[in-house]
């Protein structure tokens, strides 16, 4: 995604050969229009100590998040990645309160959903129209988010479970509910009753 080969080589030297690092760096180049080939992140080597790929990737991810102008969309993109899938209803019912969103209606949630949909480096559109956080990014950032904000992660999961409990039983939604219950550490005997 970086047409200038000189810039591409410089960036590859800076971030290393990890495919995830390269994807994130290419996205930043696309967003920021870098021409010098240097990203403002910790370099691969610092005082002769090699910087871990995960550290580089988290820096790149945070830079991409920093480019999101709407603060509510940014809140959905980061703390919201506790959820694998997003719909306007989930934004309103599971994310609004724990993420301190400034919304109170489904129409406002739909508007945020549509704005987040444009962040193609962070989410993809599923076949049913829901947004899914990119699994590679989600895996990278989820443990860090859970370590930094465990209460918020738990609150989001609990509210999402409540949302799914009230929905008609559909395999995809029930799978998300079970996934969230497992992440909350619920008793597997209770979870077994939710299978369809």
């Amino acid at each position: 995604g970086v047409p200038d080969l000189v810039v591409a080589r410089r960036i590859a030297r800076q971030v290393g050969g990890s495919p995830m690092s390269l994807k994130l760096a290419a996205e930043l180049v696309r967003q920021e229009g870098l021409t010098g080939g240097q990203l403002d992140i910790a370099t691969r080597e610092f005082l002769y100590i090699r910087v871990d790929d995960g550290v580089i990737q988290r820096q790149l991810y945070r830079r991409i998040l920093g480019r999101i102008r709407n603060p509510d969309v940014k809140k959905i993109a980061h703390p919201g990645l506790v959820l694998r899938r997003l719909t306007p209803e989930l934004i309103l019912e599971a994310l609004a309160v724990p993420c301190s969103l400034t919304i109170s209606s489904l129409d406002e949630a739909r508007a945020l959903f549509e704005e987040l949909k444009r962040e193609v480096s962070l989410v993809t559109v599923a076949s049913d129209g829901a947004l899914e956080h990119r699994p590679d990014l989600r895996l990278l950032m989820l443990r860090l988010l859970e370590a930094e904000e465990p209460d918020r992660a738990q609150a989001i999961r609990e509210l999402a479970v409540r949302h799914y409990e009230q929905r008609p039983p559909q395999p995809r939604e029930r799978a998300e509910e079970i996934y969230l219950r497992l992440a909350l550490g619920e008793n597997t005997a209770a979870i077994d009753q939710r299978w369809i």
Side-chain angles (χ1 to χ4, degrees):
V2 180
D4 184 327
L5 291 180
V6 174
V7 170
R9 282 188 190 103
R10 283 184 189 147
I11 290 170
R13 271 194 303 271
Q14 185 180 10
V15 302
S18 163
M20 172 60 74
S21 297
L22 292 170
K23 278 187 206 177
L24 292 170
E27 179 60 25
L28 273 176
V29 169
R30 187 189 67 74
Q31 288 182 0
E32 296 181 0
L34 297 176
T35 56
Q38 288 288 29
L39 297 169
D40 186 21
I41 61 168
T43 59
R44 291 286 296 161
E45 296 196 16
F46 180 72
L47 298 176
Y48 305 105
I49 299 171
R50 192 172 179 88
V51 175
D52 179 74
D53 283 335
V55 171
I56 291 172
Q57 292 163 4
R58 283 189 285 277
Q59 289 179 71
L60 293 167
Y61 177 78
R62 286 191 171 126
R63 285 274 298 282
I64 291 170
L65 281 179
R67 300 210 35 90
I68 299 174
R69 290 197 175 117
N70 184 325
D72 283 344
V73 174
K74 192 180 296 188
K75 291 174 186 176
I76 295 168
H78 185 58
L81 65 75
V82 168
L83 304 177
R84 295 187 298 188
R85 296 169 46 82
L86 291 175
T87 62
E89 293 81 10
L90 275 168
I91 290 170
L92 182 62
E93 296 173 22
L95 295 179
V97 172
C99 295
S100 304
L101 298 176
T102 58
I103 63 169
S104 58
S105 71
L106 190 54
D107 286 338
E108 291 171 311
R110 279 191 192 102
L112 290 177
F113 178 86
E114 291 301 322
E115 279 189 62
L116 181 60
K117 188 188 287 187
R118 290 192 288 272
E119 299 296 333
V120 295
S121 60
L122 303 175
V123 296
T124 59
V125 180
S127 60
D128 64 351
L131 295 181
E132 294 179 345
H133 284 101
R134 284 189 36 199
D136 47 1
L137 288 176
R138 189 172 178 275
L139 180 64
L140 172 70
M141 296 305 296
L142 186 57
R143 283 192 206 118
L144 185 64
L145 172 64
E146 289 171 331
E148 290 176 349
E149 303 181 68
D151 294 339
R152 185 181 297 200
Q154 180 172 339
I156 291 169
R157 287 184 176 118
E158 289 171 352
L159 289 167
V161 165
R162 193 175 312 151
H163 163 81
Y164 284 122
E165 282 176 333
Q166 300 169 8
R167 308 274 300 165
Q170 295 177 9
R172 184 178 274 174
E173 290 191 347
R174 190 59 60 90
E176 290 304 307
E177 176 191 337
I178 291 169
Y179 165 79
L180 291 165
R181 287 178 182 278
L182 289 169
L184 286 166
E186 290 187 10
N187 183 319
T188 54
I191 293 172
D192 286 345
Q193 298 173 21
R194 299 300 294 164
W195 287 98
I196 55 173

